[in-house]
Amino acid sequence: MSILSVQNLSKNYGPIQALRNVSFDVPKGSVFGILGPNGSGKTTLLGLIMDVLKPSGGSFQLFDESPSEKHRRQIGTLLETPNFYHYLSAVNNLKIAAAIKGRGLEDIDHVLETVNLYQRKHSRFNTYSLGMKQRLAIASCLLGNPEVMVFDEPTNGLDPVGIAEIRELIRRLHREGKTIIMASHLLDEVEKVCTHVAVLQKGT
């Protein structure tokens, strides 16, 4: 079973072609790295898959079917810098995230344990390190227990300790059976955590 199957996907922004006939398959249970330098089209590709952007050409399937909102509800996504209320605790921020998603309220303690933040669950967000903030963002993605996780540059801006924490968390989620699709410009990061890789360069 392919979690994601991309066929000749293209995206133009006026005269600029951000993606050009990109095709690949993401097997169930893999950690699939999309590797490429900044500007190669990684974020555009993830935006198309998550219906934030519309393709100029080509198509893709989710779970071997035409993509729908039902499928996207099975995917936890971290596509940008985490956006939480600075003066609220981790628990209260996740309660808001669960209310917005309409699911996952009962998962809060479990996802905080998964990302190793349970001991700090009543601490305010503005007391967290960058790595802890990123782990809380991943906890938010895990609400509702999605089968698939999509991360755009999950270690961006983190110090070596934060990078190691996120790397170990991705490995743990993989061991638990989740499929992870991860965009990164860091070859070292992809080599250490991914089972499969697609290389993007100037949209191809």
Side-chain angles (χ1 to χ4, degrees):
M1 176 189 184
S2 289
I3 294 296
L4 168 67
S5 182
V6 175
Q7 296 99 25
N8 298 314
L9 205 58
S10 298
K11 176 63 178 175
N12 300 332
Y13 295 103
I16 298 167
Q17 191 160 25
L19 284 179
R20 187 182 302 111
N21 297 324
V22 171
S23 300
F24 61 85
D25 292 296
V26 176
K28 182 178 174 67
S30 62
V31 182
F32 194 98
I34 300 169
L35 176 68
N38 293 331
S40 60
K42 302 185 302 294
T43 299
T44 295
L45 176 61
L46 296 184
L48 293 171
I49 293 161
M50 297 317 301
D51 202 32
V52 177
L53 301 168
K54 298 297 182 190
S56 304
S59 63
F60 65 94
Q61 291 186 312
L62 291 171
F63 306 98
D64 291 330
E65 296 177 4
S66 293
S68 67
E69 188 55 36
K70 176 193 82 172
H71 296 118
R72 290 191 179 89
R73 287 177 70 83
Q74 298 174 57
I75 301 174
T77 59
L78 179 56
L79 296 186
E80 53 195 33
T81 306
N83 194 11
F84 292 109
Y85 292 98
H86 285 236
Y87 294 97
L88 291 182
S89 67
V91 166
N92 287 332
N93 268 303
L94 290 182
K95 283 179 180 176
I96 292 169
I100 290 168
K101 294 179 182 188
R103 59 181 181 161
L105 197 60
E106 68 285 352
D107 297 339
I108 288 174
D109 279 356
H110 174 68
V111 300
L112 286 169
E113 285 176 354
T114 299
V115 301
N116 201 26
L117 285 175
Y118 186 77
Q119 304 302 322
R120 293 286 304 274
K121 68 178 186 175
H122 295 301
S123 299
R124 295 191 310 189
F125 182 73
N126 64 355
T127 67
Y128 278 12
S129 68
L130 277 176
M132 293 167 73
K133 289 175 179 177
Q134 194 74 339
R135 276 153 47 209
L136 184 64
I138 292 173
S140 179
C141 297
L142 286 166
L143 292 169
N145 194 27
E147 292 179 50
V148 181
M149 313 295 292
V150 174
F151 300 141
D152 188 8
E153 301 278 4
T155 60
N156 216 16
L158 300 184
D159 61 15
V161 172
I163 290 170
E165 289 172 345
I166 298 300
R167 185 187 299 149
E168 181 49 41
L169 177 54
I170 289 170
R171 288 187 183 127
R172 191 183 324 149
L173 293 171
H174 179 231
R175 286 195 299 270
E176 291 174 5
K178 296 199 183 296
T179 303
I180 297 163
I181 301 169
M182 182 182 103
S184 178
H185 66 278
L186 301 171
L187 175 61
D188 181 58
E189 209 50 44
V190 168
E191 280 188 323
K192 284 193 165 90
V193 300
C194 295
T195 59
H196 298 68
V197 65
V199 180
L200 265 183
Q201 178 109 10
K202 295 180 181 176
T204 59

